[in-house]
Amino acid sequence: MNSSKERPGTIPALGKCAIAILLIAGALRFVGIGFGMPHWLVNDELPLIGGALRMLELRNPIPSMNPQAMAILYYPPAVPWLYLVIWAPILAIRWAHLGFPALQVFAESLLTDLNAIWLSSRAVSALCGVATVWVVMRLASEVFQDRRAGLIAGALQATSFHHLLVDHFARVWSPAVLLFWCGLWAAWRVYAKGERRDYVFAAVAAGLGFAGNYVPVLTSIAVAVAHLARHRRLAVDRSILLYAAIVAAFIAVVLAASWHDFIRLGGYSAVLGPAVVASGSGQ
């Protein structure tokens, strides 16, 4: 007799239903993606897309090297960096189509029609939303060892109004939510399997999450709990040290590239705020 239950330790196959759920998730996120253009409709679109465009204007992707000019970007730089990678082929095709004009002429032409830039940036959010649905399905199916649990979780994530709203525009939260769920999935694998690649997966998710929105680095708490639960004692082994080193490297790079934004955030802190304000008034 066939059953959706799997043997302990196996990874349930999600099957064709998962493909259908992903297609529905994609349709709900991509249909109407051009709504409101060429105007920005949510607060994240202006700093993220504007920040990436300012990097192009300055020909420098390091915000902290031009803190005044990059004041438009009040998030960590990873999402604008991703946009620059996505935009590169689009801009190259457009430059060639215009006959390879001078950069100043090309920049002026680009500013007259930002539709391709805006749509591709929103598409990043939509794709992150679809990927999040897949991660949630895999995590639920592995935790409960039942493909039905994965499919139900995926269907709920795919049709969640809140997540649809987040994934429909160029927002920092779409990749952040994806990386947060990746971090939780990796933490579960650290507990269930404890392989070194699971620690690396968790570290990359936390590090990239910090580079995009700071918050996903909190999945480090889940990884620490999973590590302790697996070993049932305080075990400092090579895997957890590798995890810590990778996350620390990401944090160091992000703080070096965007230290001014971290200082700005410190101004909202009850502990650091007075010192930040005093420092700023003394300049």
Side-chain angles (χ1 to χ4, degrees):
M1 181 175 64
N2 294 329
S3 174
S4 295
K5 277 284 187 182
E6 304 286 337
R7 296 190 306 274
T10 63
I11 299 177
L14 295 173
K16 295 181 180 179
C17 289
I19 298 175
I21 291 173
L22 292 175
L23 289 175
I24 292 171
L28 291 174
R29 284 157 177 79
F30 278 98
V31 172
I33 199 172
F35 177 75
M37 291 176 55
H39 306 290
W40 57 277
L41 298 179
V42 296
N43 289 336
D44 285 2
E45 291 195 316
L46 183 61
L48 294 177
I49 298 177
L53 288 171
R54 184 60 57 84
M55 291 178 185
L56 285 177
E57 178 187 359
L58 298 172
R59 302 181 189 179
N60 189 337
I62 310 300
S64 290
M65 295 182 69
N66 298 280
Q68 295 300 324
M70 289 301 301
I72 187 175
L73 177 63
Y74 47 80
Y75 286 114
V79 175
W81 287 348
L82 176 60
Y83 288 170
L84 292 178
V85 173
I86 300 298
W87 295 352
I90 298 172
L91 296 179
I93 293 172
R94 185 165 180 176
W95 188 42
H97 179 71
L98 294 175
F100 304 102
L103 291 181
Q104 183 62 35
V105 175
F106 177 65
E108 293 174 357
S109 172
L110 178 64
L111 291 176
T112 63
D113 183 8
L114 292 173
N115 283 345
I117 294 297
W118 227 263
L119 282 174
S120 59
S121 302
R122 289 182 175 183
V124 170
S125 294
L127 290 172
C128 286
V130 175
T132 301
V133 173
W134 182 78
V135 171
V136 168
M137 283 195 290
R138 291 298 304 270
L139 174 59
S141 64
E142 291 182 22
V143 170
F144 294 101
Q145 286 295 300
D146 190 337
R147 64 184 294 269
R148 291 172 299 186
L151 295 174
I152 292 171
L156 292 173
Q157 179 75 17
T159 56
S160 165
F161 177 77
H162 173 73
H163 287 283
L164 285 171
L165 189 62
V166 169
D167 298 338
H168 210 62
F169 301 100
R171 306 193 69 168
V172 73
W173 290 106
S174 298
V177 170
L178 170 61
L179 292 167
F180 197 91
W181 278 108
C182 284
L184 294 180
W185 183 22
W188 167 258
R189 290 192 158 212
V190 165
Y191 169 72
K193 294 184 176 181
E195 297 179 0
R196 185 160 298 177
R197 64 182 180 181
D198 300 322
Y199 287 89
V200 172
F201 177 27
V204 171
L208 286 175
F210 185 86
N213 190 28
Y214 300 131
V215 175
V217 78
L218 294 177
T219 57
S220 296
I221 299 173
V223 174
V225 171
H227 180 77
L228 289 172
R230 178 171 180 81
H231 292 278
R232 298 184 180 180
R233 61 183 177 84
L234 184 60
V236 182
D237 56 19
R238 291 183 179 180
S239 294
I240 198 65
L241 290 176
L242 178 62
Y243 173 88
I246 293 174
V247 174
F250 271 101
I251 292 175
V253 170
V254 172
L255 293 183
S258 191
W259 55 264
H260 67 291
D261 180 64
F262 203 73
I263 291 176
R264 179 191 64 82
L265 286 177
Y268 295 102
S269 169
V271 178
L272 299 178
V276 172
V277 172
S279 175
S281 62
Q283 291 180 350

